Amino acid sequence: MTDRPGPLGVGAEWHRFLYRSVLLEWETSVRHCTAFPRFNGKKPLYGVTLVKMGTLQDVDAAFAAHASLPKTAERLVFHSSEQALKNLFALLRNCVAHAHFSSPRRGWIAFHHQHQGKTKLFGQLRFASLKALMAELLEKSSTQVAVASKRDGAK
């Protein structure tokens, strides 16, 4: 990690990971997945609390209050009305594509994605947790694509 703020402060290995495992995966396969597993939001995935909010106003209000959270809380807050895990993946893709990420301290990544003045996703987590979370999302999406392919091929 360097002392540079924003995405320039994130090391090259993480730039490669974000490009390969988030941006390219979304663009080449995940966005085409029509069925994604349900997400109930009741238990963290890999120690990351995922908070799905139904309105952009709720996400904005949560962002305004997030400064009081502990600096060690691994949490992503995001807007989603349906297909929460697919929407989370899409929002992470947008963060990567638009360089809406930074490294607040060694081994951590923070995201804050806004569109037209509205916060759609924010939070922070350890890089190791992000890798595990992305692997889980990719596994779930590829499983769903495989199931759909088998179903469509059986017709």
Side-chain angles (χ1 to χ4, degrees):
M1 188 174 108
T2 68
D3 290 335
R4 293 193 276 184
L8 296 177
V10 177
E13 68 188 88
W14 285 104
H15 280 257
R16 284 189 295 276
F17 169 78
L18 292 170
Y19 181 76
R20 175 77 179 104
S21 298
V22 180
L23 188 66
L24 280 182
E25 288 291 347
W26 172 262
E27 295 297 335
T28 59
S29 66
V30 176
R31 78 178 185 164
H32 304 292
C33 183
T34 56
F36 226 75
R38 289 188 146 309
F39 167 69
N40 64 14
K42 297 212 187 317
K43 64 179 187 172
L45 288 177
Y46 299 101
V48 179
T49 301
L50 301 176
V51 181
K52 176 187 107 129
M53 299 198 153
T55 69
L56 291 172
Q57 292 79 13
D58 290 343
V59 178
D60 273 337
F63 181 70
H66 94 283
S68 63
L69 288 175
K71 299 289 184 217
T72 57
E74 292 188 274
R75 176 179 159 150
L76 292 174
V77 178
F78 63 102
H79 171 255
S80 178
S81 54
E82 295 180 18
Q83 290 192 318
L85 293 178
K86 186 173 184 179
N87 289 341
L88 173 62
F89 204 124
L91 290 168
L92 288 170
R93 174 263 177 227
N94 290 343
C95 285
V96 173
H98 301 286
H100 295 165
F101 60 91
S102 62
S103 182
R105 62 192 169 282
R106 187 171 194 76
W108 286 74
I109 188 164
F111 295 101
H112 181 211
H113 178 61
Q114 286 187 313
H115 181 67
Q116 297 179 344
K118 297 286 186 184
T119 298
K120 292 190 161 201
L121 174 138
F122 72 91
Q124 66 176 7
L125 63 160
R126 290 178 178 91
F127 278 120
S129 299
L130 177 62
K131 282 181 100 168
L133 178 64
M134 293 311 301
E136 177 78 10
L137 292 176
L138 288 170
E139 180 183 321
K140 287 181 184 301
S141 69
S142 64
T143 300
Q144 293 300 317
V145 168
V147 167
S149 295
K150 282 183 181 178
R151 182 186 66 235
D152 293 344
K155 290 182 179 180

